[in-house]
Amino acid sequence: MGMLVEGVWRDIPRDTKSTGGAFVRPESAFRDRVRDPEAGRYRLYVAKSCPWAHRTLIVRAMKGLEKAIPVAYADAYMGENGWEFPDGYLYQLYSKAKPDYTGRATVPVLWDEKTQRIVNNESAEIIRMLNRDFDALARRKLDDLYPEKLRREIDWLNERIYRTVNNGVYRAGFATAQDKYEAAVSELFRTLDWLEKRMKGRRWLCGARFTEADVRLFTTLVRFDAVYYSHFKCNLRRLVDYPNLWRWTRRVYALPGVAKTVDMKQIKEHYYRSMKQINPTQIVPKGPALDFSL
């Protein structure tokens, strides 16, 4: 995966030498908010395979915002020019928004068609905008995913889950030093073990209320056994070995609109074919056979 350097695309691999073999995710660069939500004004650029982009697709579907916020889908395979869309490459959109941009061209992107700019490319912030800013355009009623009374608990869950699970699988999979890999895997499974105990007798992460914390964890766990367990070497235990977390994952999958956002074929094709430094043969495994239905 390359990157833009002052607006010019260059095939520059991720640098882990300077971090001692650890994978460090860069901060998102575009952090604005929507202005005057209008049907069709904002477009999401996503990849069905990407867990970060998947968050936005789930909230969009659960709120019935499909017509109000159109989506452009990237190809599952990401080559030397990065994410490819039917009308071009994602880096071209970044260059259009900021001609001197230096950094990775990542999904999701919330694009303003009216002003021809990238509003935001941070999934955590985009799902909060989708949560409430577009209520007037939503076709389905959905309870607030970030309610005032639960915000401290949600933020606390999000911080640990992001660091050790959402990003933890990447810290394991992209590590180029044994100690950095082992540290990431150990933290990942400590949190999964903790979550398994937490979910005993609970319907959702915060109890009876479905929140953004559930959305953010789901997009990692739904990929776990198919991708992270083998491809990223997170193989101490499978998701199906955690009865409470497996039940919770299937419960999220069964929510209205969620199942259609999960494309396991694209997920596996992207990870196993695009990441040649991890899987040089690009062979996509047939399994595992997973049934997310309740």
Side-chain angles (χ1 to χ4, degrees):
M1 181 183 182
M3 63 181 290
L4 284 164
V5 178
E6 296 183 350
V8 178
W9 183 258
R10 295 184 180 176
D11 188 13
I12 300 175
R14 296 185 185 277
D15 175 26
T16 56
K17 289 184 179 179
S18 63
T19 59
F23 166 70
V24 177
R25 185 177 298 278
E27 291 288 328
S28 299
F30 297 86
R31 311 296 286 270
D32 203 357
R33 296 194 63 85
V34 297
R35 302 169 187 171
D36 304 321
E38 305 166 14
R41 173 172 176 173
Y42 298 94
R43 178 181 296 270
L44 275 170
Y45 284 81
V46 302
K48 292 180 180 179
S49 54
C50 171
W52 315 100
H54 192 184
R55 297 173 173 185
T56 68
L57 290 176
I58 288 174
V59 179
R60 172 179 175 265
M62 292 185 74
K63 290 186 70 73
L65 288 167
E66 293 94 332
K67 290 185 177 180
I69 306 174
V71 167
Y73 293 102
D75 186 76
Y77 176 71
M78 184 173 64
E80 61 183 14
N81 289 312
W83 293 111
E84 184 176 1
F85 290 82
D87 57 352
Y89 293 100
L90 185 64
Y91 78 81
Q92 295 169 319
L93 198 71
Y94 275 72
S95 294
K96 185 176 183 178
K98 193 174 189 297
D100 61 346
Y101 175 72
T102 295
R104 302 287 174 184
T106 60
V107 290
V109 165
L110 184 63
W111 175 261
D112 187 338
E113 298 278 14
K114 192 172 185 177
T115 61
Q116 294 287 288
R117 69 188 182 100
I118 294 177
V119 177
N120 201 295
N121 70 334
E122 170 52 58
S123 65
E125 295 174 3
I126 294 173
I127 63 172
R128 287 194 180 167
M129 286 183 260
L130 297 177
N131 175 46
R132 276 294 169 258
D133 292 3
F134 293 89
D135 276 359
L137 304 174
R139 293 186 298 138
R140 295 192 189 98
K141 182 175 175 55
L142 183 69
D143 289 339
D144 188 2
L145 297 175
Y146 191 53
E148 186 73 39
K149 291 182 179 179
L150 293 175
R151 287 184 181 181
R152 179 177 291 184
E153 184 177 9
I154 291 170
D155 289 344
W156 169 67
L157 284 165
N158 283 345
E159 191 282 327
R160 177 169 182 176
I161 290 169
Y162 167 77
R163 179 172 48 84
T164 61
V165 181
N166 301 140
N167 197 46
V169 294
Y170 284 88
R171 289 169 52 220
F174 288 161
T176 57
Q178 187 71 31
D179 62 329
K180 299 299 190 295
Y181 157 76
E182 290 187 6
V185 167
S186 296
E187 287 187 5
L188 165 65
F189 281 94
R190 274 197 296 270
T191 296
L192 291 179
D193 292 345
W194 172 73
L195 285 168
E196 173 69 9
K197 293 177 181 177
R198 180 180 176 86
M199 291 310 298
K200 185 177 182 179
R202 285 175 179 260
R203 184 167 180 79
W204 307 116
L205 286 173
C206 290
R209 184 78 174 262
F210 181 82
T211 71
E212 69 169 45
D214 295 287
V215 174
R216 290 168 54 131
L217 177 60
F218 173 78
T219 59
T220 298
L221 294 196
V222 77
R223 289 162 170 74
F224 198 87
D225 289 3
V227 174
Y228 304 136
Y229 178 84
S230 56
H231 188 55
F232 279 2
K233 308 178 187 71
C234 300
N235 60 357
L236 292 183
R237 284 172 289 283
R238 301 166 302 166
L239 175 62
V240 295
D241 297 323
Y242 290 100
N244 296 328
L245 284 177
W246 176 232
R247 188 180 304 112
W248 170 88
T249 302
R250 289 181 292 139
R251 187 178 296 133
V252 177
Y253 184 87
L255 291 173
V258 174
K260 67 181 181 182
T261 69
V262 180
D263 190 328
M264 198 55 67
K265 182 175 184 294
Q266 282 216 12
I267 288 169
K268 292 201 299 182
E269 283 189 2
H270 168 68
Y271 281 93
Y272 289 101
R273 290 185 60 223
S274 302
M275 301 175 185
K276 287 186 276 188
Q277 76 277 22
I278 299 176
N279 184 34
T281 65
Q282 297 179 281
I283 291 174
V284 181
K286 289 184 70 66
L290 297 169
D291 183 3
F292 291 102
S293 60
L294 289 173

